[in-house]
Amino acid sequence: MATLESQKQRKGLSLAKKGELIFSRLSEQWPNAKCELEHNTPFQLLLAVVLSAQTTDKAVNKALTPLFKNQPEFGPADLISLGQLGFFEVIRTIGLAPTKSKNSFALSQQLIALHNGKVPHSREALEALPGVGRKTANVVLNELFGEPTLAIDTHLARLAVRMGLSKNPENRLKIEEDLLACIPQKHLQRAHHYMIFHGRYLCKARQPNCADCSIEQFCPKIGV
Ligand code: SF4
């Protein structure tokens, strides 16, 4: 539990200082935080991220891992050969499977038609693909191309507000801007991994484990 002293200390911190302290602690708490979507190739990562919208990485891995084990180089041409219905059968356990199989099929066709079957290294080109929005593009730009982007998913949105780093729970673009403004440059490339692990394994939606949290003394616990 926060002491009176730590509450005073927390209130006196600038946002920049708070960001520095929080992300330095998170980087120590989650040194091995990484993308948990299983994949062997850039295309497989893009596909897995598209499928992960409004469901868990675990559910996506359960559906795709057998496919990727059988076909380690599974690519857009393979998905087209499988057909929209065939791919639907593969992912039928995932939420929104009908829409996602349709988008995945169209995405594979566009990758072949416009990008020689490769995942493009450009936000504009990524966001023009079926089923790919800003969040998916941010994951791909970060994971495949090492760019310091933040993909605002349910964990980042919840944590940003709880930690007092954003006052815009309903606006993900604003949350992204708020976080980019306070995360130190040296932590930006890995910051979203730290926050996802923190949200997935400790600061959970229903029962945040504040007693074991490395940033407890700096966190206002808004909404907890
Ligand atoms: S677990 Fe508690 S102290 Fe830690 S970030 Fe979440 S709300 Fe803040």
Side-chain angles (χ1 to χ4, degrees), residues 103-116:
N103 281 339
S104 302
F105 189 78
L107 177 149
S108 300
Q109 287 178 315
Q110 282 199 22
L111 283 181
I112 288 175
L114 304 176
H115 303 290
N116 203 21

Side-chain angles (χ1 to χ4, degrees), residues 162-163 198 202-203 208-210 213 215-216 219 221 224:
R162 280 183 177 172
M163 292 172 177
H198 204 67
L202 198 135
C203 186
N209 182 0
C210 300
C213 181
I215 60 166
E216 199 269 341
C219 180
K221 307 181 191 73
V224 171

Side-chain angles (χ1 to χ4, degrees), residues 12-86:
L13 292 174
S14 68
L15 208 53
K17 186 66 189 163
K18 199 168 156 185
E20 194 182 311
L21 289 165
I22 286 177
F23 285 91
S24 154
R25 296 264 176 117
L26 291 182
S27 69
E28 286 164 12
Q29 185 160 9
W30 307 108
N32 300 317
K34 62 178 172 56
C35 174
E36 293 190 300
L37 286 167
E38 290 174 19
H39 62 281
N40 306 313
T41 67
F43 169 72
Q44 291 175 10
L45 174 72
L46 172 61
L47 185 63
V49 180
V50 166
L51 297 181
S52 71
Q54 295 179 53
T55 190
T56 61
D57 288 3
K58 212 171 165 183
V60 174
N61 287 340
K62 198 172 167 194
L64 290 185
T65 301
L67 179 70
F68 296 164
K69 270 200 176 137
N70 277 339
Q71 293 179 258
E73 296 299 318
F74 183 85
D78 298 311
L79 197 150
I80 291 169
S81 298
L82 204 52
Q84 193 179 312
L85 272 179

